[in-house]
Amino acid sequence: MVEQITDVVIIGAGPAGLQAAVHAARKKASVLVLGRVENSSISQAHVENYLCVDGVTAGAELLRVALAQAIRFGAEVWPEDVLHLGQEGELFTVKVESGRQVTARTLILATGTSRKKLKVPGEKELLGRGVSYCVDCDANFYRNAKVAVVGNESAAVDGALTLTKYAAEVHLVCKDLAVTKELGEKLAASSVVVHKGRWPQEIVGEKAVSGLVLDSGETLAVDGVFVELGAKGAMELATSIGVLLDTETFSFIETNKKQETNIPGIYAAGDIAGPPWQMAKAVGEGCVAGWEAANHANRLKRIPESV
């Protein structure tokens, strides 16, 4: 049985990702968009400084129209978070929260860059001394330790499950859980201690984290606190497969004028590709990335198979 390969997989369903989907699909590439439009930063905004938008328009309405356009041109959309990226030769693998895995000829990273903070006392002060925003980066430092993960979505649950392979004790603090049935079942079958309906009030410790104070008044004695709010961070996904960041601030992905990264077949567009943080820039870069990714996929398909 021949494995189905998608030409262009786009991670992110904001302005950059959806514009990329439109242009890639228009070039007759098979396109899959991964992400939820309501998680885009523009979803809660009002737009008035965008070409052809007269007056103030709700960002959510623009995204609704954009999503319908992408689907109409042939793109498939899965409203799921991405958990892991991999590379196998010239192809890429993408694993999503439902457990499904996709093989792609090209990837477009269009997820934005913001790291959501807890904004509680001790978070800033203990950053790098027990407070982390990247399980995949720092899990190895917590072998046989006690840790807590904070978050309500797929990144938090996946992070907690990953930490069970390293830490002696793993707590998950969440107001509620918004994950797929499959991920929820994996959590239920694991050793993770879930504190549902609870939320952090303070991270305590002098030179390093020693505890997490919950709104119930309980203090969890932990050595590390991982903040995983929302989907898995764009930088975390990108750097896990060797995508290079800018050399000055390490806060966005380096691209050329074709939106190419340092890895052939991987493109980036929108806020993840650097300032200015404007929808007009995101849409323009999405157009270029979608066009170039489709071209790259078509070139790969024309390469004769080796005997």
Side-chain angles (χ1 to χ4, degrees), residues 87 89 92 107 238 241-244 260-267 296:
Q87 185 171 8
F92 305 96
L107 293 178
I241 55 173
V243 174
L244 294 180
E260 295 169 316
T261 69
N262 61 297
I263 297 180
I266 300 184
Y267 302 79
H296 184 85

Side-chain angles (χ1 to χ4, degrees), residues 173-195:
V173 179
C174 54
K175 292 179 179 177
D176 200 358
L177 285 177
V179 298
T180 60
K181 178 183 176 182
E182 293 84 357
L183 200 55
E185 289 174 347
K186 288 183 181 179
L187 177 65
S190 75
S191 60
V192 176
V193 180
V194 181
H195 301 264

Side-chain angles (χ1 to χ4, degrees), residues 18-231:
L18 293 175
Q19 184 67 68
V22 167
H23 273 75
R26 285 288 300 269
K27 289 185 72 65
K28 305 305 179 184
S30 57
V31 178
L32 173 63
V33 179
L34 301 172
R36 297 175 172 87
V37 292
E38 61 269 23
N39 288 347
S40 170
S41 59
I42 205 72
S43 177
Q44 303 300 318
H46 288 82
V47 178
E48 62 177 340
N49 62 339
Y50 185 70
L51 189 68
C52 301
V53 172
D54 188 17
V56 179
T57 300
E61 175 61 16
L62 291 178
L63 289 173
R64 183 192 67 78
V65 174
L67 180 63
Q69 274 185 309
I71 293 172
R72 188 171 73 249
F73 284 121
E76 187 177 0
V77 179
W78 292 359
E80 294 192 51
D81 294 336
V82 174
L83 298 182
H84 299 287
L85 296 180
Q87 185 171 8
E88 298 178 357
E90 293 182 315
L91 302 177
F92 305 96
T93 57
V94 185
K95 185 177 180 181
V96 297
E97 58 182 311
S98 65
R100 290 186 285 185
Q101 182 166 297
V102 182
T103 300
R105 291 187 172 88
T106 62
L107 293 178
I108 298 177
L109 304 174
T111 50
T113 60
S114 62
R115 276 287 189 193
K116 294 180 181 179
K117 306 293 194 300
L118 280 173
K119 299 180 181 178
V120 298
E123 180 181 16
K124 180 179 179 181
E125 294 79 1
L126 293 169
L127 178 62
R129 292 184 291 155
V131 173
S132 172
Y133 297 93
C134 181
V135 168
D136 290 345
C137 305
D138 297 333
N140 193 52
F141 297 117
Y142 293 88
R143 289 185 178 275
N144 302 314
K146 297 180 180 180
V147 298
V149 180
V150 181
N152 303 310
E153 300 180 34
S154 59
V157 174
D158 184 64
L161 293 173
T162 297
L163 283 163
T164 60
K165 302 173 185 176
Y166 299 87
E169 189 175 293
V170 180
H171 299 263
L172 174 63
V173 179
C174 54
K175 292 179 179 177
D176 200 358
L177 285 177
V179 298
T180 60
K181 178 183 176 182
E182 293 84 357
L183 200 55
E185 289 174 347
K186 288 183 181 179
L187 177 65
S190 75
S191 60
V192 176
V193 180
V194 181
H195 301 264
K196 197 171 182 179
R198 300 271 67 95
W199 202 247
Q201 293 297 291
E202 184 179 3
I203 301 171
V204 296
E206 294 185 9
K207 294 183 178 181
V209 168
S210 62
L212 180 65
V213 181
L214 305 184
D215 53 11
S216 62
E218 178 184 6
T219 298
L220 303 178
V222 295
D223 307 296
V225 175
F226 289 85
V227 182
E228 293 283 0
L229 305 180

